[in-house]
Amino acid sequence: MNLHTADVTSKLERYLARRQVPKHLAASASAMLDETRALAEAVERNAPRGADALSAWWPKFEYELGMNGRGFWPTEREIADAARTVNTEAAKARQSGPSSAPTIDAAEVVSRKMADGKAVSEGWLYGRNAVELIQRRLVNLDTMTRYRSAAFFSRKELHGEEAALAWEIEAKERHEGAKAMLKDTERRQHSAPIPNKTSKPRDAA
């Protein structure tokens, strides 16, 4: 599972947890898990790539999905219809906006820069963005290591070794946290069924 899939799945699971499970799925944890995967794939086929683009797109998608007025899990068709509505409106907005531009895959742009040896933001060397680059195989480990070393020595020259080491430790911890998030989502997809929501939901506290 790549990071984009994990992000989509995590958002979808939070949405499904607020809806009631259809009766034909409620009695089977494996059926619920299979359905969750199918729904996630339906979302992924229509959702934009990139963490920022997905975060901006998701609230609009959830709103459209909730407009069916039902309290149950959506179908793959309903997901496709809601996504199509959001994407169509976004396309119209880009066409009508005087300064609008087509959606750009930031990860692909950065990967091309790194392949050419050009400077990139340190935010792409550790953490979620770096995990995405590696998971999507846009940047190999040798290239990533070379950029990280260059960033470390640049900081060492400007701020001293102690500051550079402190930055590196914090960056590595942030990177491990991003990888752990991905692994946790994968683990839940393989072993943790969605809670049974067939009973009447309690009022929020």
Side-chain angles (χ1 to χ4, degrees):
M1 180 186 293
N2 59 44
L3 196 62
H4 177 65
T5 301
D7 205 359
V8 167
T9 301
S10 178
K11 292 178 184 297
L12 178 64
E13 286 179 342
R14 289 198 297 272
Y15 177 82
L16 295 180
R18 306 199 309 267
R19 320 288 284 190
Q20 292 190 48
V21 182
K23 291 182 179 180
H24 71 283
L25 298 175
S28 172
S30 61
M32 291 169 60
L33 184 57
D34 289 342
E35 182 70 5
T36 302
R37 288 171 177 162
L39 295 178
E41 290 174 359
V43 175
E44 192 172 2
R45 285 193 295 269
N46 295 279
R49 296 197 70 92
D52 293 340
L54 181 63
S55 294
W57 180 87
W58 190 267
K60 301 173 185 177
F61 166 69
E62 269 201 12
Y63 173 79
E64 290 296 334
L65 199 57
M67 289 299 288
N68 61 34
R70 303 184 309 130
F72 294 96
W73 284 17
T75 64
E76 293 178 62
R77 177 63 180 272
E78 288 170 341
I79 283 178
D81 288 345
R84 188 180 301 111
T85 298
V86 175
N87 293 339
T88 299
E89 292 178 353
K92 290 180 179 178
R94 287 195 298 269
Q95 292 174 358
S96 62
S99 60
S100 59
T103 301
I104 296 175
D105 189 327
E108 289 189 357
V109 173
V110 170
S111 71
R112 289 195 292 270
K113 287 185 176 181
M114 294 177 74
D116 294 337
K118 297 179 180 179
V120 299
S121 167
E122 289 180 353
W124 289 98
L125 305 185
Y126 292 97
R128 193 195 187 291
N129 289 335
V131 171
E132 180 178 358
L133 288 175
I134 295 171
Q135 286 288 331
R136 293 175 60 186
R137 298 183 179 179
L138 295 174
V139 174
N140 60 44
L141 289 175
D142 288 341
T143 299
M144 184 64 74
T145 299
R146 186 170 69 253
Y147 267 81
R148 288 170 174 174
S149 295
F152 173 83
F153 286 113
S154 177
R155 279 182 171 270
K156 180 180 178 181
E157 182 178 353
L158 290 173
H159 305 292
E161 184 173 12
E162 184 176 351
L165 288 171
W167 166 80
E168 186 177 50
I169 290 172
E170 187 277 331
K172 287 181 176 179
E173 290 177 349
R174 176 161 40 86
H175 190 73
E176 290 302 314
K179 290 198 298 183
M181 185 273 289
L182 174 60
K183 290 181 180 179
D184 181 63
T185 302
E186 291 177 335
R187 177 187 59 78
R188 287 187 286 108
Q189 269 291 286
H190 284 89
S191 62
I194 300 296
N196 191 326
K197 295 292 181 178
T198 55
S199 60
K200 183 177 179 181
R202 294 178 298 174
D203 293 337

